[in-house]
Amino acid sequence: MTAPVWSVDPRNGKQREEVAAEASPEEVDAAVRAAHATLASLTDRSIRAALLRAAADQFEAHTEQVVECADAETALGPGRLSGELGRTCYQLRAFADVVEDGRFLDVIIDHADATLTPPRPDLRRWKVPVGVVAVYAASNFPLAFSVPGGDTASALAAGCPVVIKAHPDHPATSELAAALLRRAATEVGLDEGVIGLVHGFEAGVSLVKHPLVAAAGFTGSVRGGRALFDAAAARPKPIPFHGELGSLNPVVVTEEAAQERAEQIGAGLAGSMTMGVGQFCTKPGFVLAPAGPSGDRLLKSLTEAVSDSESGVMLDGRMREAFLAGVQERAALDSVETPVTPGAGGEHTVSAGFLTVDAAWLTTGEAHDLLLEECFGPVTVVVRYSSRDELTDVLAKLPGNLTATAHIGEAEAAGEGASLLADLTPLAGRVLVNGWPTGVAVAPAQHHGGPYPATTSASTSVGGTAIERWLRPVAYQDAPEGLLPVELRDGDGGGVPRVVDGVRVG
Amino acid sequence: MTAPVWSVDPRNGKQREEVAAEASPEEVDAAVRAAHATLASLTDRSIRAALLRAAADQFEAHTEQVVECADAETALGPGRLSGELGRTCYQLRAFADVVEDGRFLDVIIDHADATLTPPRPDLRRWKVPVGVVAVYAASNFPLAFSVPGGDTASALAAGCPVVIKAHPDHPATSELAAALLRRAATEVGLDEGVIGLVHGFEAGVSLVKHPLVAAAGFTGSVRGGRALFDAAAARPKPIPFHGELGSLNPVVVTEEAAQERAEQIGAGLAGSMTMGVGQFCTKPGFVLAPAGPSGDRLLKSLTEAVSDSESGVMLDGRMREAFLAGVQERAALDSVETPVTPGAGGEHTVSAGFLTVDAAWLTTGEAHDLLLEECFGPVTVVVRYSSRDELTDVLAKLPGNLTATAHIGEAEAAGEGASLLADLTPLAGRVLVNGWPTGVAVAPAQHHGGPYPATTSASTSVGGTAIERWLRPVAYQDAPEGLLPVELRDGDGGGVPRVVDGVRVG
């Protein structure tokens, strides 16, 4: 007796098709056991790279079908979804490169040294996969942060099978994506149990508590993510929970920047905050703009650009309701104004807008603390500040973020902006200068994570180092070479970069 | 009204002197704030290296005083404590080298690339200190895992001030050590608030909950460590808790190894399990020896060696009571035998011994699960197994460990031992072949950690990579070079090893 899982069209709120059923505890157990049984088959790094590349090929070969399915369930549009599919394939292949490169194995070899006091044994350390990884898919990127997304790709790259909890907003896309991943697994000779997929809230709770689940990745709300984090920590044997929960993504515009290019910044902000109907985890949701004429120019430009933006369909009806309620609650606070009121567009759409408030309301007491919480959707809060001290006081009240952005003037780029960067660094995992946080490049140096609640750990979910989440180090002491993997033997270690007796090699 | 903190002589159970008072919540708060105020002063890596070297110099200059004080409180003896002081100084200097080398900064630079779709911005990632670190000192190494130990050294190396919760078994040594560390801080021009020290159980609880504490390191019992881990996870803003809690450190002796050198293995085991009165976290507490004549020879040798070992003083009276009770409880289990009964030596001492049991009792039901828990002190459990399958079944029941050891025969070193190594790897953070786990080399490739309950995270508390616990990554996007630290600028990055556009440099 498990509930059916329906695919719903957010453009009209109607059920499209019955896709699957919510997984029972027994079904979750079976998926985890099937995944666990494939662990040894992933030991070989070359098969992991082959799997990731075969998966990318599968998605490219089925672009039309995947994009059509995802659009029907998410209303994100074929243009955006085609781009997301491209990003997803790029990411799968990038992790194949990471696997082959081998730097992530973090190999350190110290040969025995009898001349030391005490004598040092032979020690050879590398990283091994943690085991089965639970992936909690996001709503807002039905490909790049969902079934075939970065968590899955990095876990497979690390040598960990996955069991994915599908997001209820795109169950059909999830089933299709899992089928393509399994086809890729079969193609390279792996058991399809390497990719598990379960639906349903209770299934997600069972999953994080399963004794054979060794780690979890999550992208979603603070409320849902914190509940799962707590469950992961409360297990008899706690497991790491890498959750991306929520982020205000503050933007600071200096007086100099506003003087030099208020109009450009206002227009850029409008574009970034309304992108994807404001449903990016990196949406700039909190903007500190100077009081006075330069800041006024910025607001004027923002007003024009936001007024011109088209209304859009959010990912589901529940999010739309939460957005409208969140905006209303914030707009009702003392002295909060709404130059462009965000609100209901049509029956199923929303229109973008923004709120303004003086910084003084935020620095005195807790009455306006609601403005320091993320409001998912096309809205941002512009806080007008009158001095550097006031700016500092507001920044000190902010929670952790994925990103923090400084818009600075030309003269400040030579060094005066350094103190602002120093103030922003403790607040975020990525700090931008004169740019916009939406758009998270898949690159080795990327860091998509930040102090809580942005993430529940110091990890990233985008970029090559995302693989580190699914590994743990092991050191072998005085093991005969014949028992060690090639990466830990003398010789060239199969080309893997290593540190041998303190010297970097390869 | 806070309780006095007494230094006690474990050789007679008498109070030696009143050393300090338990810290009130206000005093904990003051220590954390004083530490937090020094964060910016630790930005310069060269001052961190200087601090660590000055600290090592201080301890060497006060060797006699430190060893005398520690011996009076711990009864570990001047020989062992002099060695531990040497190890502590070596460790402080090793982390100075780690700081200067800069590999731990994990710098990755991706220059902007407009030819990609979408175009890639300039991204430069490194790691920054997390903030104030809480250190919970261990009882059994009053120097190397206490106030001036690896947690403190690695946190300072990372750029994090520390507030240390002293272990109640050596409060005078803790005060002396903190004074020496502060003297070193003053010498290199740092505020002595960089080293905080608090006494008392409640102070420890306040510390892990303090909003300005960003991470914690702990070495101690499963019970105490789990309670603090839970408190760290339950904070409004959870923090990483790197705890080393407990470990059985299983040893597997193959039939071939026993045939070849049963006597040598029995004697080696006796030496390792009685070292430091069995109070090492890496004590081999669970030994799988073959049934039959070779295993019998091993037991005979073990019996002789253990019977010859001298009784010793444990770290405190409470631990002695727990040891005696733990042994009694285990010995009372069905079919558990005690060829040499561990027990009370004199009024304040204990004598070593060991228990034996057939593997079948462990693989059927939970009646003997107590044997799978660490018993602190000079005792080990020898489990006799009759087949490879039975061995596998027992290994599958074991919790996580710091170490796992295989004693194999000559022929097995060529490759047949590989399956045993594969079975042991999931159980531990360090896997040894034909050696003993006591003695943890301070070396870059060391990993002193393991699956829960050995540690509560995938981190190590010994070796160069222990610094990783106190860092978090930050990526800068399109930041003008003038605003970046030298390590992230173009040029040679101040000599720090980096990955630039996918190529390892330096």
Side-chain angles (χ1 to χ4, degrees):
Chain A
M1 278 279 297
T2 49
V5 174
W6 287 87
S7 172
V8 174
D9 182 346
R11 292 184 173 98
N12 57 29
K14 293 200 176 125
Q15 293 184 333
R16 293 176 58 241
E17 53 170 337
E18 190 176 324
V19 170
E22 295 189 351
S24 66
E26 293 72 28
E27 286 164 332
V28 172
D29 181 61
V32 173
R33 287 182 188 281
H36 192 261
T38 69
L39 248 178
S41 67
L42 294 174
T43 303
D44 179 4
R45 283 191 289 128
S46 64
I47 206 166
R48 280 135 66 177
L51 168 62
L52 292 161
R53 293 201 177 104
D57 293 346
Q58 282 293 339
F59 279 87
E60 278 177 355
H62 296 84
T63 298
E64 207 177 325
Q65 192 186 350
V66 172
V67 167
E68 190 183 313
C69 181
D71 182 51
E73 291 186 309
T74 66
L76 287 170
R80 144 74 195 272
L81 288 165
S82 299
E84 190 179 326
L85 188 141
R87 175 197 175 89
T88 304
C89 294
Y90 181 85
Q91 187 161 255
L92 287 161
R93 294 191 178 110
F95 277 113
D97 295 344
V98 166
V99 175
E100 284 176 343
D101 174 75
R103 192 171 78 96
F104 74 98
L105 295 170
D106 223 343
V107 176
I108 308 178
I109 295 178
D110 298 324
H111 286 98
D113 188 342
T115 68
L116 292 173
T117 312
R120 175 192 289 174
D122 183 277
L123 285 166
R124 299 173 188 231
R125 170 215 194 251
W126 74 337
K127 290 187 176 171
V128 298
V130 289
V132 177
V133 167
V135 171
Y136 294 83
S139 62
N140 55 349
F141 283 81
L143 303 172
F145 287 83
S146 186
V147 175
D151 286 353
T152 298
S154 57
L156 293 173
C160 299
V162 295
V163 177
I164 306 157
K165 154 70 173 64
H167 195 280
D169 278 358
H170 51 269
T173 310
S174 301
E175 286 287 341
L176 175 57
L180 293 174
L181 290 171
R182 288 186 189 127
R183 196 179 298 178
T186 308
E187 251 180 46
V188 301
L190 288 167
D191 186 279
E192 58 178 29
V194 73
I195 307 290
L197 181 70
V198 296
H199 298 268
F201 175 83
E202 288 300 336
V205 176
S206 301
L207 189 56
V208 81
K209 294 182 177 173
H210 196 291
L212 288 179
V213 167
F218 171 94
T219 310
S221 69
V222 173
R223 193 170 156 186
R226 182 64 194 248
L228 288 167
F229 170 86
D230 289 344
R235 290 165 50 117
K237 176 177 172 165
I239 56 171
F241 184 86
H242 303 285
E244 184 200 316
L245 270 49
S247 180
L248 274 181
N249 303 302
V251 175
V252 175
V253 182
T254 67
E255 174 63 28
E256 286 71 10
Q259 280 179 21
E260 289 172 19
R261 45 180 213 284
E263 289 71 23
Q264 188 190 331
I265 294 171
L269 172 58
S272 185
M273 61 156 279
T274 60
M275 191 178 281
V277 199
Q279 298 171 117
F280 277 36
C281 45
T282 51
K283 178 198 76 175
F286 192 89
V287 181
L288 284 145
S294 308
D296 292 344
R297 280 167 48 214
L298 191 161
L299 284 203
K300 184 158 174 287
S301 154
L302 177 63
T303 301
E304 286 165 8
V306 170
S307 304
D308 283 352
S309 73
E310 289 180 16
S311 62
V313 178
M314 289 189 71
L315 290 159
D316 68 39
R318 197 178 41 82
M319 285 187 197
R320 183 175 174 276
E321 296 304 323
F323 168 69
L324 297 175
V327 166
Q328 204 165 21
E329 209 182 344
R330 286 164 176 78
L333 295 170
D334 275 350
S335 297
V336 170
E337 292 178 23
T338 50
V340 182
T341 308
E347 193 186 345
H348 297 283
T349 57
V350 295
S351 61
F354 67 96
L355 318 177
T356 62
V357 67
D358 279 350
W361 287 90
L362 286 163
T363 53
T364 51
E366 293 165 14
H368 285 61
D369 279 2
L370 182 62
L371 298 177
L372 305 178
E373 288 175 27
E374 182 182 10
C375 184
F376 201 68
V379 60
T380 196
V381 176
V382 181
V383 180
R384 308 291 301 269
Y385 68 91
S386 304
S387 67
R388 181 63 168 89
D389 283 350
E390 199 172 46
L391 175 60
T392 305
D393 290 347
V394 174
L395 291 179
K397 290 207 69 170
L398 293 185
N401 295 276
L402 292 168
T403 71
T405 301
H407 280 272
I408 60 176
E410 259 183 62
E412 291 169 315
E416 288 172 52
S419 84
L420 183 55
L421 233 58
D423 284 353
L424 294 181
T425 298
L427 293 178
R430 180 163 54 112
V431 178
L432 300 90
V433 179
N434 294 348
W436 298 105
T438 41
V440 183
V442 177
Q446 184 57 274
H447 189 75
H448 187 62
Y452 187 88
T455 40
T456 56
S457 71
S459 66
T460 179
S461 59
V462 179
T465 58
I467 195 173
E468 294 174 7
R469 297 176 292 174
W470 321 122
L471 300 160
R472 70 175 180 92
V474 174
Y476 292 93
Q477 180 170 325
D478 292 333
E481 281 224 60
L483 302 186
L484 291 172
V486 66
E487 291 88 344
L488 297 184
R489 292 185 195 174
D490 287 340
D492 80 342
V496 162
R498 313 191 288 183
V499 176
V500 181
D501 297 328
V503 178
R504 282 170 284 273
V505 184
Chain B
M1 277 282 295
T2 49
V5 173
W6 287 87
S7 173
V8 174
D9 182 347
R11 292 185 172 96
N12 57 29
K14 293 199 176 125
Q15 292 184 333
R16 293 176 58 241
E17 54 170 335
E18 188 176 326
V19 171
E22 294 190 352
S24 66
E26 293 71 29
E27 286 165 331
V28 172
D29 180 62
V32 174
R33 287 182 189 282
H36 193 260
T38 69
L39 249 178
S41 67
L42 294 173
T43 302
D44 180 4
R45 282 191 290 129
S46 63
I47 206 166
R48 280 136 66 179
L51 168 61
L52 292 161
R53 293 200 177 104
D57 293 345
Q58 283 293 338
F59 279 86
E60 278 176 355
H62 296 84
T63 298
E64 208 177 327
Q65 191 185 351
V66 172
V67 167
E68 190 184 313
C69 181
D71 182 51
E73 291 186 310
T74 66
L76 287 170
R80 145 75 194 271
L81 288 165
S82 298
E84 190 179 328
L85 187 140
R87 175 196 175 89
T88 304
C89 294
Y90 180 84
Q91 187 161 257
L92 287 161
R93 292 191 179 109
F95 277 113
D97 295 343
V98 166
V99 174
E100 284 177 343
D101 174 75
R103 193 172 77 98
F104 74 97
L105 295 170
D106 223 344
V107 176
I108 308 177
I109 296 178
D110 299 323
H111 287 97
D113 188 342
T115 68
L116 292 173
T117 313
R120 176 192 288 174
D122 183 277
L123 284 166
R124 299 171 187 232
R125 170 213 191 253
W126 75 338
K127 290 186 175 171
V128 297
V130 290
V132 177
V133 167
V135 172
Y136 294 83
S139 61
N140 55 348
F141 283 81
L143 303 171
F145 287 82
S146 186
V147 175
D151 286 353
T152 298
S154 57
L156 293 173
C160 298
V162 295
V163 178
I164 305 156
K165 153 70 172 64
H167 195 280
D169 277 359
H170 51 269
T173 311
S174 301
E175 286 287 341
L176 175 57
L180 294 175
L181 290 172
R182 289 188 188 125
R183 196 178 298 177
T186 308
E187 251 180 46
V188 301
L190 288 167
D191 186 278
E192 58 178 30
V194 73
I195 307 289
L197 181 70
V198 297
H199 298 268
F201 176 83
E202 288 300 335
V205 176
S206 301
L207 188 57
V208 81
K209 293 183 177 173
H210 196 290
L212 288 179
V213 167
F218 171 95
T219 310
S221 69
V222 173
R223 193 170 156 186
R226 182 63 193 247
L228 289 168
F229 170 87
D230 289 344
R235 291 165 49 117
K237 177 177 173 165
I239 57 170
F241 184 86
H242 302 285
E244 184 198 315
L245 270 50
S247 181
L248 274 183
N249 304 301
V251 175
V252 175
V253 182
T254 67
E255 174 62 30
E256 287 71 11
Q259 281 179 20
E260 290 172 17
R261 47 181 211 284
E263 289 72 22
Q264 186 189 333
I265 294 171
L269 173 59
S272 185
M273 61 155 281
T274 59
M275 191 177 282
V277 200
Q279 299 170 116
F280 277 35
C281 44
T282 51
K283 178 198 76 175
F286 191 89
V287 181
L288 283 145
S294 309
D296 291 344
R297 280 167 50 210
L298 192 160
L299 284 203
K300 183 160 175 285
S301 153
L302 178 63
T303 301
E304 287 165 8
V306 170
S307 303
D308 284 350
S309 72
E310 291 181 16
S311 63
V313 178
M314 289 190 71
L315 291 157
D316 67 38
R318 198 177 38 81
M319 285 187 198
R320 182 174 174 276
E321 296 303 323
F323 168 69
L324 296 175
V327 166
Q328 205 165 21
E329 209 182 345
R330 286 165 176 78
L333 294 170
D334 276 349
S335 297
V336 170
E337 292 177 22
T338 49
V340 182
T341 308
E347 192 186 346
H348 296 283
T349 56
V350 294
S351 61
F354 67 96
L355 317 178
T356 61
V357 68
D358 279 349
W361 289 90
L362 286 163
T363 53
T364 51
E366 294 165 13
H368 285 60
D369 280 3
L370 182 61
L371 299 177
L372 305 178
E373 289 176 27
E374 182 182 10
C375 184
F376 201 69
V379 61
T380 195
V381 176
V382 181
V383 179
R384 307 292 300 268
Y385 68 91
S386 305
S387 68
R388 182 63 168 90
D389 282 352
E390 199 172 46
L391 175 60
T392 306
D393 290 348
V394 174
L395 291 179
K397 291 207 71 171
L398 294 184
N401 295 277
L402 292 168
T403 71
T405 300
H407 280 272
I408 60 176
E410 259 182 63
E412 292 170 314
E416 288 171 54
S419 84
L420 184 54
L421 233 58
D423 283 353
L424 294 181
T425 298
L427 293 178
R430 180 164 55 112
V431 178
L432 299 90
V433 179
N434 294 348
W436 298 104
T438 40
V440 183
V442 177
Q446 185 57 273
H447 188 75
H448 187 63
Y452 187 90
T455 40
T456 56
S457 71
S459 65
T460 178
S461 59
V462 179
T465 58
I467 195 173
E468 294 174 7
R469 297 175 292 173
W470 321 121
L471 300 160
R472 70 174 179 94
V474 175
Y476 291 93
Q477 180 170 326
D478 292 333
E481 282 222 63
L483 301 188
L484 291 172
V486 65
E487 292 88 344
L488 297 184
R489 292 185 196 173
D490 287 341
D492 80 343
V496 162
R498 313 192 288 183
V499 176
V500 180
D501 297 328
V503 178
R504 282 171 282 273
V505 185

